[in-house]
Amino acid sequence: GVLCGAVLGEFGIRGSAFDRACALGALESLAGYALDDVMPRVLEAVSGDLDAESVCALTAKDIVVWATPRGQLARFEQLESGYVPQQQEEKNVKISKEDKKLYGALAKEFAAEKAAKKKDEKPKMTKQEEEVFNARLAEEEGVRATVAAIKESAELGLAVLSSLCKGNRKGMHAHLPAVSRLVWPLARAARRLVAGGVKATAREMALCCSCRLSEQVPEALFLVSESPSYSNLTPDDAANVRGGVRALVADMGGYPLPVESFELVFPLLRFAVENPPVGSEVQDLALKTVAQHASPGQAWPSAGIIGTLVGVMVSNARIRKAAGDLALKHAAQLQPHDVSELLDGCLAADPAVRSAVLDCLAGVPGLPGPNPHEYLDATLFLLAHDADEGVRGKAVE
């Protein structure tokens, strides 16, 4: 405990670059023989560093400011004074007789170099303009420092998680769900700010999976975690996502994954199921793979799976029945208070979807339970007066 506290403290991962490197190495060693003891303290220590909300709070302008070299304004045209620096280009490079005599054939090249230096010189400003310029520089330096601090914190948290994965790949398998819940939201919020760290951590997490995953899988997981929809992917990225789904299925070898490994890769399968543009072959493959993970008695993330399936039932008539059948299996594993996704589906525009979701709702064990969901009675009341006779009948039962 004392050693762990030192490693996670101001002279460990919070210290100098040298201290940090030593601390990460120590964490890797600690994970090898005391992972279950170390893990709760580590997650508590770095959860703030991996706060996706902090990254989400950064605007695109903040990122541009951060990427702008010190001493320059990110956008000169936005100076409050209205001053826009102008750089005059010299159309003809003049060569003095003295330069020609001294440098001979190189005289023209030398003169061009001097002209370029003159071109790079800052335009002269009035005193008032200079004051505005410096004030904006100071303001942007504050933004730059904030972004840099958030980036440094996120990269530190990711480096810590990577060290744990390297130190004990087998032991980290049990902790993949907790780690996934920290890493994937950060990927979506990162705006490429910490893309390198997220990708590196994803690769380490993939090596902790129950089966050896191809490199395509963590790459595809990063892409789908970063992009909310297929339309945001470039053609190359879209191809990598499709390849990632195929690689995952091949890596599984026809067998279902343990719950912990499934939670790691579920975002990729969910993305493929929810986005028809991936192609019917890949979509069907992903849905079939999700369907392998519905056996009773396992702690599957059934509420999240049902949320995905209900969305598919609403938007994709082609696989509606298959999605409904799978949702029914997972509904049998829900707790009465975990029916929010089903209640949302009860309000779908298509009566066929409302009817299928009511079947799922009826399959939830112990519903309504000792503490009924706050919207359960109101939803059933609405459906009991539904325009569709079949829906009305099921709601009243």
Side-chain angles (χ1 to χ4, degrees):
V2 175
L3 179 57
C4 186
V7 168
L8 297 172
E10 60 179 323
F11 298 110
I13 61 173
R14 309 288 178 187
S16 65
F18 177 76
D19 292 339
R20 181 177 300 181
C22 292
L24 291 174
L27 269 178
E28 190 173 327
S29 298
L30 278 171
Y33 67 86
L35 178 64
D36 291 338
D37 295 329
V38 169
M39 196 67 187
R41 296 194 62 177
V42 170
L43 291 180
E44 182 182 359
V46 302
S47 59
D49 297 292
L50 297 170
D51 179 20
E53 290 185 8
S54 297
V55 183
C56 280
L58 299 175
T59 65
K61 183 181 177 183
D62 292 335
I63 305 301
V64 171
V65 169
W66 167 77
T68 302
R70 282 186 169 84
Q72 297 181 26
L73 286 179
R75 299 180 67 181
F76 282 102
E77 69 272 19
Q78 289 188 347
L79 280 173
E80 293 175 9
S81 65
Y83 173 72
V84 181
Q86 298 291 331
Q87 295 179 329
Q88 302 296 328
E89 295 186 9
E90 294 190 26
K91 295 182 180 179
N92 299 309
V93 177
K94 296 182 180 179
I95 307 172
S96 67
K97 290 181 180 180
E98 183 179 355
D99 285 347
K100 193 170 185 179
K101 183 178 180 181
L102 286 172
Y103 301 104
L106 295 175
K108 187 172 183 180
E109 188 175 330
F110 177 74
E113 185 178 336
K114 287 204 304 185
K117 286 182 179 179
K118 184 177 180 182
K119 177 181 176 181
D120 289 338
E121 290 178 358
K122 290 183 179 179
K124 291 184 179 180
M125 305 180 192
T126 66
K127 184 178 179 180
Q128 183 181 6
E129 289 168 341
E130 189 171 358
E131 287 176 355
V132 173
F133 181 85
N134 289 333
R136 286 293 298 273
L137 276 183
E139 179 186 337
E140 292 191 356
E141 183 58 34
V143 173
R144 187 178 291 109
T146 299
V147 176
I150 292 174
K151 181 178 187 293
E152 183 179 0
S153 290
E155 288 178 338
L156 172 61
L158 291 167
V160 167
L161 296 181
S162 292
S163 294
L164 295 176
C165 291
K166 291 175 185 176
N168 193 337
R169 300 205 185 283
K170 185 177 181 180
M172 276 298 287
H173 179 260
H175 300 284
L176 285 177
V179 174
S180 298
R181 286 190 286 271
L182 289 172
V183 174
W184 299 144
L186 188 64
R188 177 162 294 189
R191 302 178 188 276
R192 299 272 176 173
L193 188 66
V194 289
V198 173
K199 287 181 179 181
T201 305
R203 286 192 290 269
E204 295 298 336
M205 291 163 63
L207 292 172
C208 300
C209 191
S210 60
C211 64
R212 187 174 183 82
L213 296 179
S214 308
E215 289 187 4
Q216 286 175 284
V217 177
E219 173 65 23
L221 277 165
F222 170 78
L223 291 171
V224 302
S225 297
E226 184 193 40
S227 302
S229 69
Y230 189 90
S231 61
N232 292 339
L233 297 174
T234 66
D236 287 344
D237 287 347
N240 288 336
V241 168
R242 293 192 295 271
V245 173
R246 295 188 182 103
L248 171 60
V249 174
D251 294 338
M252 289 171 55
Y255 296 96
L257 296 169
V259 171
E260 297 83 358
S261 293
F262 177 74
E263 285 211 38
L264 172 67
V265 301
F266 178 58
L268 176 58
L269 297 171
R270 178 180 61 210
F271 186 91
V273 170
E274 290 178 340
N275 288 276
V278 299
S280 58
E281 178 254 332
V282 171
Q283 190 176 48
D284 292 344
L285 197 60
L287 184 58
K288 182 179 177 181
T289 304
V290 174
Q292 287 182 274
H293 302 85
S295 55
Q298 300 290 317
W300 305 114
S302 293
I305 294 172
I306 285 177
T308 296
L309 296 173
V310 169
V312 169
M313 291 162 65
V314 170
S315 62
N316 193 333
R318 186 182 70 83
I319 56 174
R320 179 177 294 160
K321 186 180 186 309
D325 291 344
L326 181 54
L328 199 56
K329 292 181 180 179
H330 278 284
Q333 302 182 50
L334 285 180
Q335 296 297 318
H337 59 269
D338 281 335
V339 295
S340 295
E341 304 289 354
L342 289 176
L343 295 180
D344 288 342
C346 286
L347 304 179
D350 193 320
V353 176
R354 298 197 297 275
S355 178
V357 173
L358 275 172
D359 289 337
C360 294
L361 205 57
V364 177
L367 198 72
N371 298 302
H373 191 286
E374 59 181 327
Y375 297 125
L376 177 62
D377 289 340
T379 303
L380 291 177
F381 177 81
L382 286 173
L383 294 180
H385 298 80
D386 196 272
D388 185 86
E389 183 178 355
V391 172
R392 289 198 306 273
K394 289 183 178 182
V396 170
E397 290 178 4

